[in-house]
Amino acid sequence: MNLIAAADLNWGIGKDGNLLTHLSGDLKYFKQKTSGKVVVMGRATLESLPGGNPLPNRTNIVLTSQKNFTKEGCLIARNLDELAYICADYAPEDVMIIGGEQVYMQLIRQCDRLFITKIFESFDADKHLMNVDKMRSFELVWTGDVQEENGIQYQFLEYRKKEKDLSNGKSQE
């Protein structure tokens, strides 16, 4: 399972149900990384998508505790056990966690790779991602070139889960 997010310098990811800023390069990167894959999101994230509709060319899974929630074109998981059951039908590397805050917090430690667009600005965010740089279980393995759009600089980063310490059999979390 993988995670993809855009975060500012304070690991902010959203404000009032919206992205912090519109970066067409980041949206193209997101589409390239998620097309043909399984995307897992919370209900509020689904509702923030254009028209509140599932993303095309992807299997959309919504993780929500709302008992009666349904959405055409989406698979619904009511809890993490149901999510695991649904995701078992797919290759783990094809499952992409796309938000929001609560879903990221619940699933980040189960992810093998994190695709982060680091935005070199600070915004007034009300939703945040964990500070991945302080998580000992992940290491930065790739950085793209710094890009600029609308006066905002950003960079694509990839983190991978560290291998277990084979000398003592414990994870480095």
Side-chain angles (χ1 to χ4, degrees), residues 6 10 21 24 29 32 34 38 78 93 116 141 144 147 150 152 167:
N10 300 312
T21 186
S24 62
Y29 180 74
Q32 179 238 331
T34 63
V38 177
R78 308 279 180 218
E93 62 271 14
I116 305 295
V141 296
Q147 301 183 48
N150 304 323
I152 297 172
S167 63

Side-chain angles (χ1 to χ4, degrees), residues 6 34 42 60 98 105 125 135 162:
T34 63
N60 290 254
I98 67 167
M105 296 298 182
M135 295 180 73
K162 291 181 181 176

Side-chain angles (χ1 to χ4, degrees), residues 131-148:
N131 183 336
V132 176
D133 291 324
K134 291 186 176 180
M135 295 180 73
R136 295 185 325 174
S137 57
F138 289 99
E139 62 185 335
L140 181 64
V141 296
W142 179 81
T143 57
D145 294 332
V146 174
Q147 301 183 48
E148 186 170 329

